[in-house]
Amino acid sequence: MAEVTQIIHNYLRHDKKFPHVFCPGCGHGIVLGSLIRSVHALGIPKDDVVLVAGIGCSGRIPVYVDFNTVHAVHGRALTMATGIKMANPKLHVIVIMGDGDALSIGGNHFIHAARRNIGLSVLVLNNFIYGMTGGQCSSTTPQGDWSTTTPHGAMEKSFDLVNLTSAAGANHVARGTTFHVKTLDKLMTNTLTKPGFNFLEVLTPCHTQYGRKNKFKNPVEMYKWLKSTAMPLEAYNKLAPEKRGNRIPIGVFQEREETPLEVSYENMRKQLRGA
Amino acid sequence: MIAKRKTPREIFALGAEAVVEGALLAGCSFYGGYPITPSSEIMEAMAARLPKTENGVFIQMEDEIASMGTIIGASMAGRKAMTATSGPGFSLMQELIGYACMTEVPLVIVNVMRGGPSTGLPTSPAQGDVQQARWGTHGDHSIIVLSATDVQDCLQMTVTAFNYAEKYRTPVILLLDEITAHTREKITIPSPNDIEIFSRLQPTMPPEWYKPFEETVRGVPPMPPLGAGYRFHYTGLTHDDHGFPTSKPEEVESAVSRQFRKIDQFFFDIQIVDEHRAEDCEMLVVAFGSVARSAQLAVDQARELGIKAGLLNLKTLFPFPRGAVEKVIGNCKTILVPEMNMGQMSREVKRVNDGRCKVKTLNRIDGHIITPKQILDSLRKG
């Protein structure tokens, strides 16, 4: 454990930006820990990593990490990341967004970035709610659940992010949770290494805004819920549909080998220039 | 590989194509955009040209917000980046223009104005975005807004826009009108050796000494590309000189005021105006864009009639060239401000004039050009 902590400290701006803003029980730190362990295990130099985020709780993550970091505006992280990657394809561009950031205000950019299959590692930290803004409904709030803007229960259906991203054209699509950390680490490493649009949804609890008002007495109950609800994709696929209930599959959902945008663009340029 | 031309050459080009020539001369290597009339010719020419250049990147984004985002990212990664748009698209870009002001990211945004508000008059000339260019984004910020009179000028002012963006680490808006962008004229493309090109200052200190938003004499801190070893934090939140969010009053005050000062203190460098027979004029016309071209003819015709008229053609709209206007106001009895809007520039002229002489307005908002005759008639009435 001490060794792991040491690794993480090597990547944090611990002398400048702590204590952090996250609530007790928040899963964002677990995702960040997993990201740091993966970057470290892969030996990617800090200078080559650009961490771009939008607005909200997840948007505050980059400030704590000693990479090149960009805190963009709400919903537009992917647009800036696209510019960075196309301008310098050698950089490892990692994008962290919340569910509202990526799929509500940023929904259009999200599907187009996936369609372009541009080489980005995209993490969506899905806590089913607008956390920092005060607990309003997002496009992933489960139907019937409470939020400050759905005081009578959410009327609308929520997005299935892995299906959406696969349909839009991403090369790699996966889902994990902040309870299943070993699996998350594997998925994270995968997300940082595969070419093309590489998407990882992480189910992460927001106890303060979501759990408290949706019958989870404390953060531990939310983690227990993640433990009992999430199951490996392979096992899920073997279950008869009527037995699946509310179980959520985790794992790798899509693996394609299509050429990323920045590579095909470079190929076109070479052809045009007769090189 | 296409060899770099050593000598100037002449071409017959649209204003929009001249913008592209200017951008490429200035070192633009990244274009992200979304098509919209009457600016689309800029994007089309960029799509054809950029992939054939040394490291040029062209990308068509899903909307204007994405276009702004992508050029901000590209500029952070070290590119000279540009987008072009028109009224409705320009409105969409505003939040990110504010972000670029706050993070001090150099950019060029060309807005070929069309009638408005809303979808307005898609391919008809107007000059209705003057105040939007200055104040479109929220909050107090400084910004540079330029304009161009003719096709040759489109090339020159695009180069100038890039130079200012790089020199002052700021977004620069080039406001064209449809007439200028869609006029086809013979222009001279200068040899790259004959023009001055400015690129953003790079840090020379070791990374641990570098402060990305440091207070310097010029007020403009050096800006390394992402990935060059200077790891720091960009945020649209008010930040300290290390780039980290702050709400301490003294840090907020100093950060915002430096962003104003870095442009205000170099007013003499940024203020570009063309004077035409203005030295001894009693009636001064203040105009920009294609209207300034009409005004030049009207001034000459007025002089033939014995009216002591003169023209101040504004190439820099913001920061408003106060000094240039004040200088000629002394002898003037009347200032005439013809413009294709309801008085967005005359508002600035009246502010500077401060009641010293009569300010007349001449406004046209029907999607048609202001003719020399209209201006002459107004000058004759005094």
Side-chain angles (χ1 to χ4, degrees), chain A residues 13 16-17 46-47 63 66-73 76 79-80 83-84 86-87 108-109 112 116 265 268-269 272-273, chain B residues 51-58 60-63 65-66 69-70 73 79 96 99 227 229 231-235 237 244:
Chain A
R13 288 164 172 159
K16 297 197 177 99
K17 289 317 299 172
K46 285 181 190 176
D47 284 333
V63 78
D66 187 23
F67 297 139
N68 304 285
T69 52
V70 181
H71 182 208
V73 302
R76 320 299 172 198
T79 70
M80 289 190 204
I84 294 166
M86 289 303 285
N108 196 33
H109 308 309
H112 284 281
R116 289 187 184 107
Y265 188 85
M268 174 189 76
R269 266 168 36 77
L272 282 173
R273 291 164 60 80
Chain B
K52 294 180 187 166
T53 63
E54 182 100 17
N55 57 355
V57 176
F58 168 89
Q60 176 165 338
M61 295 302 285
E62 54 273 15
D63 60 29
I65 302 173
T70 200
R79 301 299 193 98
L96 278 165
Y99 181 88
R231 296 185 301 274
F232 62 96
H233 188 59
Y234 277 114
T235 177
L237 293 166
F244 295 126

Short mmCIF file of all heavy atoms in Angstrom, two decimals, chain A residues 13 16-17 46-47 63 66-73 76 79-80 83-84 86-87 108-109 112 116 265 268-269 272-273, chain B residues 51-58 60-63 65-66 69-70 73 79 96 99 227 229 231-235 237 244:
data_model
loop_
_atom_site.label_atom_id
_atom_site.label_comp_id
_atom_site.label_asym_id
_atom_site.label_seq_id
_atom_site.Cartn_x
_atom_site.Cartn_y
_atom_site.Cartn_z
N ARG A 13 -0.07 17.33 -7.44
CA ARG A 13 0.46 18.65 -7.10
C ARG A 13 0.18 18.85 -5.60
O ARG A 13 -0.56 19.76 -5.21
CB ARG A 13 -0.24 19.71 -7.93
CG ARG A 13 0.18 19.70 -9.39
CD ARG A 13 -0.75 20.46 -10.30
NE ARG A 13 -0.19 20.57 -11.65
CZ ARG A 13 -0.90 20.81 -12.74
NH1 ARG A 13 -2.20 20.97 -12.66
NH2 ARG A 13 -0.31 20.88 -13.91
N LYS A 16 0.58 22.11 -3.68
CA LYS A 16 -0.11 23.32 -4.14
C LYS A 16 -1.62 23.25 -3.94
O LYS A 16 -2.24 24.19 -3.51
CB LYS A 16 0.16 23.53 -5.63
CG LYS A 16 1.63 23.78 -5.92
CD LYS A 16 1.82 24.39 -7.30
CE LYS A 16 3.29 24.71 -7.55
NZ LYS A 16 3.95 23.67 -8.34
N LYS A 17 -2.22 22.13 -4.28
CA LYS A 17 -3.66 22.14 -4.46
C LYS A 17 -4.48 21.36 -3.44
O LYS A 17 -5.66 21.15 -3.65
CB LYS A 17 -3.99 21.61 -5.86
CG LYS A 17 -3.63 22.57 -6.98
CD LYS A 17 -3.99 24.02 -6.71
CE LYS A 17 -5.47 24.25 -6.51
NZ LYS A 17 -5.73 25.63 -6.07
N LYS A 46 5.13 12.22 -17.96
CA LYS A 46 4.15 13.24 -17.56
C LYS A 46 4.01 14.32 -18.63
O LYS A 46 2.92 14.83 -18.86
CB LYS A 46 4.63 13.93 -16.28
CG LYS A 46 4.48 13.13 -15.02
CD LYS A 46 4.99 13.99 -13.87
CE LYS A 46 5.10 13.21 -12.59
NZ LYS A 46 5.69 14.03 -11.51
N ASP A 47 5.12 14.66 -19.27
CA ASP A 47 5.08 15.74 -20.26
C ASP A 47 4.24 15.39 -21.48
O ASP A 47 3.78 16.28 -22.20
CB ASP A 47 6.50 16.08 -20.73
CG ASP A 47 7.24 16.89 -19.69
OD1 ASP A 47 6.56 17.60 -18.92
OD2 ASP A 47 8.48 16.80 -19.64
N VAL A 63 -6.70 19.72 -11.94
CA VAL A 63 -5.88 20.67 -11.18
C VAL A 63 -4.96 19.97 -10.18
O VAL A 63 -3.91 20.49 -9.81
CB VAL A 63 -6.79 21.73 -10.49
CG1 VAL A 63 -7.44 21.18 -9.25
CG2 VAL A 63 -6.02 23.00 -10.15
N ASP A 66 -0.05 16.43 -11.83
CA ASP A 66 1.09 17.10 -12.44
C ASP A 66 1.28 16.65 -13.90
O ASP A 66 2.34 16.14 -14.27
CB ASP A 66 2.34 16.82 -11.60
CG ASP A 66 3.53 17.62 -12.09
OD1 ASP A 66 3.32 18.65 -12.73
OD2 ASP A 66 4.68 17.21 -11.82
N PHE A 67 0.26 16.81 -14.73
CA PHE A 67 0.38 16.62 -16.18
C PHE A 67 0.19 18.00 -16.81
O PHE A 67 0.10 19.00 -16.12
CB PHE A 67 -0.73 15.69 -16.70
CG PHE A 67 -0.68 14.29 -16.17
CD1 PHE A 67 -1.86 13.63 -15.81
CD2 PHE A 67 0.52 13.60 -16.05
CE1 PHE A 67 -1.84 12.34 -15.32
CE2 PHE A 67 0.55 12.30 -15.56
CZ PHE A 67 -0.63 11.67 -15.20
N ASN A 68 0.13 18.04 -18.14
CA ASN A 68 -0.37 19.24 -18.79
C ASN A 68 -1.89 19.19 -18.60
O ASN A 68 -2.51 18.22 -19.03
CB ASN A 68 -0.06 19.23 -20.29
CG ASN A 68 1.42 19.07 -20.55
OD1 ASN A 68 2.19 20.00 -20.39
ND2 ASN A 68 1.83 17.87 -20.95
N THR A 69 -2.47 20.18 -17.96
CA THR A 69 -3.88 20.05 -17.61
C THR A 69 -4.71 21.23 -18.12
O THR A 69 -4.26 22.37 -18.11
CB THR A 69 -4.06 19.93 -16.08
OG1 THR A 69 -3.36 21.00 -15.44
CG2 THR A 69 -3.51 18.61 -15.58
N VAL A 70 -5.90 20.90 -18.57
CA VAL A 70 -6.80 21.91 -19.13
C VAL A 70 -8.19 21.74 -18.51
O VAL A 70 -8.79 20.67 -18.62
CB VAL A 70 -6.91 21.78 -20.67
CG1 VAL A 70 -7.84 22.86 -21.22
CG2 VAL A 70 -5.54 21.86 -21.34
N HIS A 71 -8.66 22.77 -17.87
CA HIS A 71 -10.00 22.80 -17.31
C HIS A 71 -10.83 23.64 -18.29
O HIS A 71 -10.72 24.86 -18.32
CB HIS A 71 -9.93 23.46 -15.93
CG HIS A 71 -11.22 23.54 -15.19
ND1 HIS A 71 -11.48 24.52 -14.27
CD2 HIS A 71 -12.33 22.77 -15.22
CE1 HIS A 71 -12.68 24.36 -13.75
NE2 HIS A 71 -13.23 23.31 -14.31
N ALA A 72 -11.59 22.96 -19.15
CA ALA A 72 -12.27 23.65 -20.25
C ALA A 72 -13.59 24.27 -19.78
O ALA A 72 -13.78 24.48 -18.58
CB ALA A 72 -12.51 22.66 -21.38
N VAL A 73 -14.49 24.53 -20.67
CA VAL A 73 -15.82 25.02 -20.27
C VAL A 73 -16.81 23.86 -20.34
O VAL A 73 -16.50 22.79 -20.87
CB VAL A 73 -16.28 26.23 -21.10
CG1 VAL A 73 -15.30 27.37 -20.99
CG2 VAL A 73 -16.51 25.85 -22.55
N ARG A 76 -17.49 21.19 -23.45
CA ARG A 76 -16.65 21.38 -24.65
C ARG A 76 -15.27 20.76 -24.52
O ARG A 76 -14.40 21.03 -25.35
CB ARG A 76 -16.50 22.86 -24.97
CG ARG A 76 -17.74 23.70 -24.81
CD ARG A 76 -18.89 23.27 -25.69
NE ARG A 76 -20.10 23.99 -25.33
CZ ARG A 76 -21.33 23.61 -25.67
NH1 ARG A 76 -21.51 22.50 -26.37
NH2 ARG A 76 -22.36 24.32 -25.32
N THR A 79 -13.99 19.11 -27.63
CA THR A 79 -13.61 19.96 -28.77
C THR A 79 -12.16 20.43 -28.62
O THR A 79 -11.40 20.42 -29.58
CB THR A 79 -14.55 21.18 -28.90
OG1 THR A 79 -14.32 22.09 -27.82
CG2 THR A 79 -16.00 20.76 -28.92
N MET A 80 -11.78 20.81 -27.42
CA MET A 80 -10.39 21.24 -27.19
C MET A 80 -9.44 20.06 -27.34
O MET A 80 -8.36 20.18 -27.93
CB MET A 80 -10.24 21.88 -25.82
CG MET A 80 -10.92 23.22 -25.73
SD MET A 80 -10.48 24.05 -24.20
CE MET A 80 -11.88 25.13 -24.03
N GLY A 83 -8.69 19.46 -30.92
CA GLY A 83 -7.70 20.41 -31.43
C GLY A 83 -6.29 20.02 -31.00
O GLY A 83 -5.34 20.06 -31.80
N ILE A 84 -6.15 19.63 -29.73
CA ILE A 84 -4.82 19.28 -29.20
C ILE A 84 -4.28 18.04 -29.93
O ILE A 84 -3.14 18.01 -30.38
CB ILE A 84 -4.90 19.03 -27.68
CG1 ILE A 84 -5.26 20.32 -26.94
CG2 ILE A 84 -3.57 18.47 -27.15
CD1 ILE A 84 -5.70 20.13 -25.50
N MET A 86 -5.17 16.73 -32.89
CA MET A 86 -4.89 16.95 -34.31
C MET A 86 -3.64 17.82 -34.49
O MET A 86 -2.91 17.69 -35.46
CB MET A 86 -6.09 17.59 -35.00
CG MET A 86 -7.29 16.68 -35.17
SD MET A 86 -6.92 15.16 -36.08
CE MET A 86 -6.81 15.78 -37.75
N ALA A 87 -3.42 18.75 -33.55
CA ALA A 87 -2.25 19.62 -33.64
C ALA A 87 -0.97 18.86 -33.31
O ALA A 87 0.08 19.11 -33.88
CB ALA A 87 -2.41 20.82 -32.70
N ASN A 108 -23.57 16.46 -28.47
CA ASN A 108 -23.25 16.54 -29.90
C ASN A 108 -21.77 16.33 -30.15
O ASN A 108 -21.38 15.57 -31.04
CB ASN A 108 -23.70 17.91 -30.43
CG ASN A 108 -23.77 17.94 -31.94
OD1 ASN A 108 -24.08 16.93 -32.57
ND2 ASN A 108 -23.48 19.07 -32.53
N HIS A 109 -20.94 16.98 -29.34
CA HIS A 109 -19.49 16.81 -29.51
C HIS A 109 -19.10 15.36 -29.25
O HIS A 109 -18.21 14.82 -29.89
CB HIS A 109 -18.72 17.74 -28.56
CG HIS A 109 -19.15 19.16 -28.65
ND1 HIS A 109 -19.24 19.83 -29.86
CD2 HIS A 109 -19.54 20.05 -27.70
CE1 HIS A 109 -19.67 21.06 -29.64
NE2 HIS A 109 -19.85 21.22 -28.34
N HIS A 112 -19.92 13.05 -32.17
CA HIS A 112 -19.07 13.34 -33.33
C HIS A 112 -17.62 12.95 -33.10
O HIS A 112 -16.94 12.49 -34.02
CB HIS A 112 -19.20 14.81 -33.73
CG HIS A 112 -20.48 15.08 -34.44
ND1 HIS A 112 -20.66 14.78 -35.78
CD2 HIS A 112 -21.67 15.56 -34.01
CE1 HIS A 112 -21.90 15.09 -36.13
NE2 HIS A 112 -22.54 15.56 -35.07
N ARG A 116 -15.72 10.35 -35.46
CA ARG A 116 -14.42 10.62 -36.09
C ARG A 116 -13.40 9.56 -35.72
O ARG A 116 -12.38 9.45 -36.38
CB ARG A 116 -13.88 11.98 -35.62
CG ARG A 116 -14.62 13.14 -36.17
CD ARG A 116 -13.96 14.46 -35.83
NE ARG A 116 -14.82 15.51 -36.33
CZ ARG A 116 -15.59 16.29 -35.58
NH1 ARG A 116 -15.53 16.18 -34.27
NH2 ARG A 116 -16.39 17.17 -36.13
N TYR A 265 -5.62 11.21 -41.49
CA TYR A 265 -5.34 12.59 -41.96
C TYR A 265 -3.88 12.70 -42.41
O TYR A 265 -3.58 13.24 -43.46
CB TYR A 265 -5.63 13.61 -40.85
CG TYR A 265 -5.54 15.03 -41.33
CD1 TYR A 265 -6.63 15.64 -41.93
CD2 TYR A 265 -4.35 15.75 -41.25
CE1 TYR A 265 -6.55 16.93 -42.41
CE2 TYR A 265 -4.26 17.04 -41.74
CZ TYR A 265 -5.36 17.62 -42.31
OH TYR A 265 -5.28 18.90 -42.81
N MET A 268 -3.39 11.08 -45.74
CA MET A 268 -3.86 11.93 -46.83
C MET A 268 -2.83 13.02 -47.14
O MET A 268 -2.52 13.30 -48.30
CB MET A 268 -5.19 12.58 -46.47
CG MET A 268 -5.65 13.59 -47.50
SD MET A 268 -7.09 14.56 -46.99
CE MET A 268 -6.37 15.71 -45.85
N ARG A 269 -2.29 13.61 -46.10
CA ARG A 269 -1.31 14.67 -46.30
C ARG A 269 -0.08 14.17 -47.03
O ARG A 269 0.45 14.82 -47.93
CB ARG A 269 -0.90 15.27 -44.94
CG ARG A 269 -1.69 16.50 -44.56
CD ARG A 269 -1.49 16.89 -43.11
NE ARG A 269 -0.14 16.66 -42.65
CZ ARG A 269 0.89 17.44 -42.95
NH1 ARG A 269 0.71 18.52 -43.66
NH2 ARG A 269 2.09 17.16 -42.51
N LEU A 272 -0.96 13.72 -50.67
CA LEU A 272 -1.07 15.01 -51.36
C LEU A 272 0.30 15.61 -51.64
O LEU A 272 0.51 16.26 -52.65
CB LEU A 272 -1.88 16.00 -50.50
CG LEU A 272 -3.39 15.85 -50.50
CD1 LEU A 272 -4.02 16.78 -49.48
CD2 LEU A 272 -3.95 16.16 -51.88
N ARG A 273 1.19 15.41 -50.72
CA ARG A 273 2.52 16.02 -50.86
C ARG A 273 3.49 15.10 -51.59
O ARG A 273 4.67 15.43 -51.74
CB ARG A 273 3.08 16.39 -49.47
CG ARG A 273 2.32 17.55 -48.83
CD ARG A 273 2.60 17.66 -47.35
NE ARG A 273 4.01 17.87 -47.06
CZ ARG A 273 4.62 19.03 -47.13
NH1 ARG A 273 3.95 20.08 -47.49
NH2 ARG A 273 5.89 19.15 -46.84
N PRO B 51 -3.95 20.99 -46.06
CA PRO B 51 -3.34 19.65 -46.06
C PRO B 51 -2.11 19.54 -46.96
O PRO B 51 -1.33 18.61 -46.82
CB PRO B 51 -4.47 18.74 -46.58
CG PRO B 51 -5.73 19.51 -46.37
CD PRO B 51 -5.35 20.96 -46.51
N LYS B 52 -1.95 20.51 -47.86
CA LYS B 52 -0.78 20.46 -48.75
C LYS B 52 0.42 21.19 -48.16
O LYS B 52 1.50 21.17 -48.74
CB LYS B 52 -1.14 21.11 -50.09
CG LYS B 52 -2.19 20.34 -50.88
CD LYS B 52 -2.47 21.06 -52.19
CE LYS B 52 -3.64 20.41 -52.90
NZ LYS B 52 -4.15 21.27 -53.98
N THR B 53 0.24 21.85 -47.03
CA THR B 53 1.36 22.58 -46.44
C THR B 53 2.14 21.67 -45.49
O THR B 53 1.70 20.56 -45.18
CB THR B 53 0.87 23.83 -45.67
OG1 THR B 53 0.04 23.39 -44.59
CG2 THR B 53 0.08 24.77 -46.58
N GLU B 54 3.25 22.20 -45.02
CA GLU B 54 4.21 21.44 -44.21
C GLU B 54 3.55 20.62 -43.09
O GLU B 54 3.73 19.43 -43.00
CB GLU B 54 5.20 22.43 -43.61
CG GLU B 54 6.29 21.78 -42.79
CD GLU B 54 7.59 21.66 -43.57
OE1 GLU B 54 7.71 22.34 -44.60
OE2 GLU B 54 8.45 20.86 -43.15
N ASN B 55 2.77 21.28 -42.23
CA ASN B 55 2.13 20.53 -41.14
C ASN B 55 0.68 20.98 -40.92
O ASN B 55 0.16 20.91 -39.82
CB ASN B 55 2.94 20.67 -39.85
CG ASN B 55 3.12 22.11 -39.45
OD1 ASN B 55 2.72 23.00 -40.19
ND2 ASN B 55 3.70 22.34 -38.30
N GLY B 56 0.08 21.47 -41.99
CA GLY B 56 -1.24 22.08 -41.87
C GLY B 56 -2.35 21.09 -41.53
O GLY B 56 -2.39 19.98 -42.04
N VAL B 57 -3.24 21.51 -40.65
CA VAL B 57 -4.38 20.68 -40.27
C VAL B 57 -5.67 21.45 -40.53
O VAL B 57 -5.82 22.59 -40.08
CB VAL B 57 -4.33 20.27 -38.77
CG1 VAL B 57 -5.58 19.49 -38.38
CG2 VAL B 57 -3.08 19.45 -38.48
N PHE B 58 -6.57 20.81 -41.25
CA PHE B 58 -7.90 21.37 -41.46
C PHE B 58 -8.91 20.40 -40.90
O PHE B 58 -8.82 19.20 -41.15
CB PHE B 58 -8.17 21.57 -42.96
CG PHE B 58 -9.62 21.88 -43.24
CD1 PHE B 58 -10.07 23.18 -43.25
CD2 PHE B 58 -10.54 20.86 -43.47
CE1 PHE B 58 -11.42 23.46 -43.48
CE2 PHE B 58 -11.88 21.13 -43.69
CZ PHE B 58 -12.32 22.44 -43.70
N GLN B 60 -13.24 20.03 -40.23
CA GLN B 60 -14.60 20.58 -40.20
C GLN B 60 -15.29 20.02 -38.97
O GLN B 60 -15.46 18.81 -38.83
CB GLN B 60 -15.36 20.20 -41.47
CG GLN B 60 -16.81 20.68 -41.43
CD GLN B 60 -17.50 20.64 -42.79
OE1 GLN B 60 -16.85 20.66 -43.82
NE2 GLN B 60 -18.82 20.59 -42.79
N MET B 61 -15.71 20.91 -38.09
CA MET B 61 -16.31 20.46 -36.84
C MET B 61 -17.83 20.42 -36.96
O MET B 61 -18.40 20.81 -37.96
CB MET B 61 -15.87 21.38 -35.69
CG MET B 61 -14.38 21.31 -35.41
SD MET B 61 -13.77 19.65 -35.01
CE MET B 61 -14.39 19.46 -33.33
N GLU B 62 -18.48 19.95 -35.89
CA GLU B 62 -19.93 19.75 -35.94
C GLU B 62 -20.71 21.05 -35.73
O GLU B 62 -21.89 21.10 -36.06
CB GLU B 62 -20.37 18.70 -34.91
CG GLU B 62 -19.93 18.95 -33.48
CD GLU B 62 -18.55 18.37 -33.19
OE1 GLU B 62 -17.83 18.04 -34.14
OE2 GLU B 62 -18.18 18.29 -32.00
N ASP B 63 -20.10 22.05 -35.19
CA ASP B 63 -20.76 23.35 -35.05
C ASP B 63 -19.71 24.40 -34.71
O ASP B 63 -18.52 24.10 -34.61
CB ASP B 63 -21.88 23.31 -33.99
CG ASP B 63 -21.39 22.93 -32.60
OD1 ASP B 63 -20.22 23.20 -32.29
OD2 ASP B 63 -22.17 22.36 -31.82
N ILE B 65 -19.33 26.12 -31.96
CA ILE B 65 -18.78 26.00 -30.60
C ILE B 65 -17.58 25.06 -30.66
O ILE B 65 -16.50 25.35 -30.14
CB ILE B 65 -19.84 25.47 -29.62
CG1 ILE B 65 -21.05 26.39 -29.60
CG2 ILE B 65 -19.25 25.33 -28.22
CD1 ILE B 65 -22.23 25.86 -28.79
N ALA B 66 -17.78 23.93 -31.34
CA ALA B 66 -16.70 22.95 -31.49
C ALA B 66 -15.53 23.56 -32.27
O ALA B 66 -14.37 23.28 -31.97
CB ALA B 66 -17.22 21.71 -32.20
N GLY B 69 -13.57 25.58 -29.88
CA GLY B 69 -12.88 24.68 -28.95
C GLY B 69 -11.66 24.07 -29.60
O GLY B 69 -10.57 24.02 -29.00
N THR B 70 -11.81 23.63 -30.83
CA THR B 70 -10.71 22.94 -31.48
C THR B 70 -9.53 23.87 -31.78
O THR B 70 -8.38 23.49 -31.65
CB THR B 70 -11.23 22.19 -32.73
OG1 THR B 70 -10.31 21.19 -33.07
CG2 THR B 70 -11.42 23.06 -33.92
N GLY B 73 -7.66 24.43 -28.49
CA GLY B 73 -6.80 23.29 -28.21
C GLY B 73 -5.55 23.31 -29.08
O GLY B 73 -4.44 23.09 -28.61
N ARG B 79 0.05 25.69 -32.17
CA ARG B 79 -0.24 26.10 -33.55
C ARG B 79 -0.78 27.53 -33.60
O ARG B 79 -1.40 28.00 -32.67
CB ARG B 79 -1.29 25.17 -34.16
CG ARG B 79 -0.91 23.72 -34.21
CD ARG B 79 0.33 23.51 -35.05
NE ARG B 79 0.50 22.09 -35.33
CZ ARG B 79 0.11 21.50 -36.47
NH1 ARG B 79 -0.45 22.21 -37.42
NH2 ARG B 79 0.31 20.21 -36.64
N LEU B 96 -16.64 30.58 -25.60
CA LEU B 96 -15.25 30.14 -25.73
C LEU B 96 -14.31 31.28 -26.09
O LEU B 96 -13.11 31.20 -25.81
CB LEU B 96 -15.16 29.00 -26.74
CG LEU B 96 -15.53 27.64 -26.13
CD1 LEU B 96 -15.78 26.61 -27.21
CD2 LEU B 96 -14.45 27.15 -25.18
N TYR B 99 -13.31 32.30 -22.84
CA TYR B 99 -12.33 31.35 -22.28
C TYR B 99 -10.94 31.64 -22.84
O TYR B 99 -9.94 31.62 -22.10
CB TYR B 99 -12.76 29.92 -22.63
CG TYR B 99 -11.84 28.85 -22.08
CD1 TYR B 99 -12.03 28.33 -20.80
CD2 TYR B 99 -10.77 28.37 -22.82
CE1 TYR B 99 -11.19 27.36 -20.29
CE2 TYR B 99 -9.92 27.40 -22.32
CZ TYR B 99 -10.14 26.89 -21.05
OH TYR B 99 -9.29 25.93 -20.55
N GLY B 227 3.13 19.85 -23.85
CA GLY B 227 4.03 18.74 -24.14
C GLY B 227 5.50 19.13 -24.24
O GLY B 227 6.36 18.29 -24.49
N GLY B 229 7.36 20.25 -21.83
CA GLY B 229 8.08 20.12 -20.57
C GLY B 229 7.67 21.14 -19.52
O GLY B 229 8.10 21.06 -18.38
N ARG B 231 4.79 21.89 -17.56
CA ARG B 231 3.46 21.40 -17.20
C ARG B 231 2.74 22.43 -16.32
O ARG B 231 3.25 22.79 -15.26
CB ARG B 231 3.55 20.07 -16.45
CG ARG B 231 4.13 18.95 -17.28
CD ARG B 231 4.07 17.65 -16.52
NE ARG B 231 4.79 17.70 -15.26
CZ ARG B 231 6.09 17.45 -15.13
NH1 ARG B 231 6.81 17.14 -16.20
NH2 ARG B 231 6.66 17.48 -13.95
N PHE B 232 1.61 22.90 -16.80
CA PHE B 232 0.84 23.82 -15.97
C PHE B 232 -0.64 23.64 -16.24
O PHE B 232 -1.04 22.78 -17.02
CB PHE B 232 1.29 25.28 -16.20
CG PHE B 232 1.10 25.78 -17.60
CD1 PHE B 232 -0.02 26.51 -17.95
CD2 PHE B 232 2.06 25.52 -18.57
CE1 PHE B 232 -0.20 26.97 -19.24
CE2 PHE B 232 1.89 25.98 -19.87
CZ PHE B 232 0.76 26.71 -20.20
N HIS B 233 -1.45 24.48 -15.57
CA HIS B 233 -2.90 24.30 -15.58
C HIS B 233 -3.58 25.47 -16.30
O HIS B 233 -3.34 26.62 -15.98
CB HIS B 233 -3.39 24.22 -14.13
CG HIS B 233 -4.83 23.85 -13.98
ND1 HIS B 233 -5.35 22.68 -14.47
CD2 HIS B 233 -5.88 24.51 -13.40
CE1 HIS B 233 -6.65 22.62 -14.18
NE2 HIS B 233 -6.99 23.72 -13.55
N TYR B 234 -4.37 25.13 -17.31
CA TYR B 234 -5.22 26.13 -17.96
C TYR B 234 -6.61 26.03 -17.35
O TYR B 234 -7.17 24.93 -17.27
CB TYR B 234 -5.38 25.81 -19.46
CG TYR B 234 -4.27 26.27 -20.35
CD1 TYR B 234 -3.45 25.36 -21.02
CD2 TYR B 234 -4.08 27.63 -20.61
CE1 TYR B 234 -2.46 25.78 -21.89
CE2 TYR B 234 -3.09 28.06 -21.48
CZ TYR B 234 -2.29 27.13 -22.12
OH TYR B 234 -1.33 27.55 -22.98
N THR B 235 -7.19 27.15 -16.98
CA THR B 235 -8.58 27.12 -16.51
C THR B 235 -9.27 28.43 -16.85
O THR B 235 -8.62 29.49 -16.91
CB THR B 235 -8.67 26.87 -14.99
OG1 THR B 235 -10.05 26.91 -14.61
CG2 THR B 235 -7.89 27.88 -14.18
N LEU B 237 -11.43 29.58 -14.90
CA LEU B 237 -11.63 30.23 -13.60
C LEU B 237 -10.56 31.29 -13.41
O LEU B 237 -9.46 31.17 -13.94
CB LEU B 237 -11.49 29.20 -12.46
CG LEU B 237 -12.56 28.11 -12.38
CD1 LEU B 237 -12.10 27.00 -11.44
CD2 LEU B 237 -13.87 28.69 -11.88
N PHE B 244 -3.48 28.40 -11.20
CA PHE B 244 -4.42 27.70 -10.33
C PHE B 244 -5.56 28.63 -9.91
O PHE B 244 -5.33 29.82 -9.67
CB PHE B 244 -3.71 27.14 -9.09
CG PHE B 244 -2.70 26.07 -9.43
CD1 PHE B 244 -1.39 26.17 -9.00
CD2 PHE B 244 -3.07 24.97 -10.21
CE1 PHE B 244 -0.46 25.19 -9.32
CE2 PHE B 244 -2.15 23.99 -10.52
CZ PHE B 244 -0.84 24.10 -10.09
#
